[in-house]
Amino acid sequence: MLKLFIFVLILITLVVLSMFIAGVLELHKQEKEDKKNIIRDGMEGYLDKTFGFGNVTIFKSILDADGNTRYLVYLPKYEWFKSPQYEWYEVYAIQSGFKHNAIKG
């Protein structure tokens, strides 16, 4: 009788644990979707609109002679079983928003 009780208790524990893990995974998935749906402003928002959400990485920020901040960003391009090729861009602020220029290497 004690063995049956312990077996049932273990089954109940496993079911509750699996429900908890499924809930945590669903919550994590929902948080990622909410994070993607947040409208970002500023330079990150411009990068998201131009290159896609989270596709580019900021490599370095540079101060130019006028005191404006320019950002050096790169966009990896992946091919099947090859190392990624990187496209480099310089992003800077203008009066009406932001602008980017491709850097030829």
Side-chain angles (χ1 to χ4, degrees), residues 21-90:
I21 291 173
V24 168
L25 290 176
E26 183 66 30
L27 183 62
H28 178 69
K29 180 180 173 184
Q30 184 65 33
E31 285 177 354
K32 282 179 68 176
E33 282 295 318
D34 290 345
K35 185 178 175 185
K36 281 178 107 175
N37 292 335
I38 291 175
I39 297 175
R40 293 168 44 171
D41 57 346
M43 200 250 328
E44 287 88 7
Y46 174 76
L47 292 175
D48 290 345
K49 277 194 291 186
T50 306
F51 301 105
F53 182 78
N55 289 339
V56 294
T57 304
I58 299 173
F59 179 71
K60 186 185 272 190
S61 61
I62 303 168
L63 286 174
D64 63 1
D66 297 329
N68 299 325
T69 304
R70 294 176 178 256
Y71 297 94
L72 188 61
V73 300
Y74 62 92
L75 175 67
K77 294 285 185 179
Y78 296 99
E79 293 184 30
W80 187 256
F81 285 118
K82 292 183 179 179
S83 62
Q85 299 291 323
Y86 296 102
E87 296 178 6
W88 292 86
Y89 297 94
E90 181 182 22

